């Protein structure tokens, strides 16, 4: 699931990730440019540059990470706002702009700003990688599930795990269990460590 702006509001409403929305009272202002800074994880997973980029802010949600009982699934902030488009009393700068986390066998990415409306590839390439990351993660998770089911049934060629390919995954490329299908962990890297690959924009790529 990739939710941008209103889609990120929907992801929050559906409870796909342990996040909530702050400052709903000021939604409705005119769209305005904003600065977005990619975290180390966002640079690795989305190919975002180290310097802040310009994107369009159209009243997307201000996200607040929620405490999770028992640790819960890993939740990673991929980018933060490096400017503010809300009243001074509302802390927008430094708050999460893009977050990612697992939901079932899939990956959920919620992006408040519109990276697709950025002035150049430094902004637009990470936007494309949001979809690539979610698609690759879901495809890899389904592949692993089929392998595990085959192993339980004793089917020839079924592998019990993809641990070897996960260890072999490096930045910019994904390891695989069989053929060219990456493991789920390799496709997304580790959401707890920020390891992973990206396509286009600010770094090495592989789709």
């Amino acid at each position: 699931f990739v939710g941008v702006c209103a889609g990120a509001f929907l992801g929050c409403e559906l409870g796909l990730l342990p996040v909530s929305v702050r400052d709903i009272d000021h939604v409705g202002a005119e769209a305005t440019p904003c600065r977005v800074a990619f975290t180390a994880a966002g640079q690795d997973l989305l190919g975002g540059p180290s310097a802040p980029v310009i994107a369009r802010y159209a009243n997307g949600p201000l996200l607040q990470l929620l405490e999770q009982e028992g640790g819960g699934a890993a939740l990673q902030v991929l980018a933060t706002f490096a400017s503010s488009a809300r009243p001074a009393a509302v802390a927008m700068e430094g708050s999460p702009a893009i977050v990612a986390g697992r939901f079932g066998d899939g990956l959920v990415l919620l992006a408040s700003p519109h990276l697709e409306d950025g002035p150049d590839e430094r902004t637009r390439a990470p936007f494309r990688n949001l979809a690539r990351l979610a698609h690759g993660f879901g495809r890899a998770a389904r592949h692993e599930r089929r392998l595990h089911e085959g192993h339980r049934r004793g089917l020839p060629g079924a592998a019990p795990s993809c641990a070897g390919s996960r260890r072999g995954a490096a930045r910019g490329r994904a390891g695989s269990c069989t053929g060219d299908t990456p493991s789920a962990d390799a496709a997304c890297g580790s959401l707890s460590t920020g390891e992973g690959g990206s396509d286009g924009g600010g770094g090495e790529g592989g789709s």
Side-chain angles (χ1 to χ4, degrees), residues 34 84 186:
C34 70
S84 181

Short mmCIF file of all heavy atoms in Angstrom, two decimals, residues 34 84 186:
data_model
loop_
_atom_site.label_atom_id
_atom_site.label_comp_id
_atom_site.label_asym_id
_atom_site.label_seq_id
_atom_site.Cartn_x
_atom_site.Cartn_y
_atom_site.Cartn_z
N CYS A 34 7.46 22.77 -0.08
CA CYS A 34 8.07 22.45 1.21
C CYS A 34 9.40 21.74 0.96
O CYS A 34 9.67 21.26 -0.14
CB CYS A 34 7.14 21.57 2.06
SG CYS A 34 6.96 19.88 1.44
N SER A 84 8.36 24.37 7.31
CA SER A 84 7.02 24.32 7.88
C SER A 84 6.03 25.09 7.01
O SER A 84 6.36 26.14 6.46
CB SER A 84 7.01 24.91 9.30
OG SER A 84 5.70 24.85 9.85
N ALA A 186 15.39 -8.86 1.63
CA ALA A 186 16.33 -8.26 0.69
C ALA A 186 15.65 -7.20 -0.15
O ALA A 186 16.25 -6.19 -0.50
CB ALA A 186 16.91 -9.35 -0.22
#
